[in-house]
Amino acid sequence: NGQGHGFVCCFIVVAMALLKGATAAQTYLVGDSFGWNVPPNSSYYTIWASKRTFYVGDLSTFNWTGSHTVGISHIQAEYDNCKKDPGEVLSSSGPGVTVPLGTSGSFYFYCTVDDHCGSGQKFAINALTNGSEPPSPSSASSFTI
């Protein structure tokens, strides 16, 4: 039956489109093997983050040695000024913490200890909803950090 065959093909196309938008959550190790420490240069974490696309549901794991925190803000001015009391500060007596990206939008991460943020221990990301297309390279480069 030609009609039945068309229905099956249509169903398969719709199912594939829905699956394309569903991606498994990723876990990112911030700074890779370097971890979450005072970086060797002020752009280290900015470059690290720019090579990744973050989605709601992803996890960012911050591992460190020594004394560090993870300050989280949705306000760029707090990040730019390395404000010592951002929206949320996660600290741990252990070697780190894992942060889930629960909503879409801009996230600003930085260390609130001493002048670590001023030394470049910070980065900004834009968490997308599943199925969203990442920004094109030309628009990504215009994102101000």
Side-chain angles (χ1 to χ4, degrees):
N1 178 339
Q3 251 183 340
H5 180 67
F7 176 76
V8 170
C9 287
C10 182
F11 177 77
I12 291 171
V13 169
V14 170
M16 289 175 62
L18 291 173
L19 288 174
K20 181 180 185 276
T23 58
Q26 297 291 312
T27 299
Y28 294 98
L29 180 58
V30 175
D32 296 324
S33 62
F34 182 75
W36 183 239
N37 295 291
V38 177
N41 60 64
S42 62
S43 60
Y44 182 84
Y45 290 106
T46 302
I47 292 169
W48 175 86
S50 72
K51 295 178 180 179
R52 288 147 181 86
T53 302
F54 297 88
Y55 291 94
V56 173
D58 286 349
L59 303 171
S60 296
T61 298
F62 295 77
N63 289 334
W64 62 75
T65 56
S67 178
H68 298 288
T69 63
V70 179
I72 306 168
S73 180
H74 295 285
I75 301 169
Q76 186 172 352
E78 292 182 356
Y79 168 84
D80 290 343
N81 298 317
C82 296
K83 186 177 177 188
K84 293 295 183 184
D85 56 344
E88 185 173 6
V89 177
L90 303 176
S91 59
S92 169
S93 57
V97 347
T98 297
V99 178
L101 298 176
T103 61
S104 62
S106 298
F107 288 84
Y108 302 95
F109 297 98
Y110 58 96
C111 184
T112 62
V113 174
D114 299 329
D115 189 36
H116 295 184
C117 176
S119 298
Q121 192 173 354
K122 65 181 188 172
F123 66 96
I125 64 167
N126 186 32
L128 304 171
T129 56
N130 282 336
S132 297
E133 292 297 319
S136 66
S138 61
S139 65
S141 63
S142 66
F143 182 71
T144 304
I145 294 178

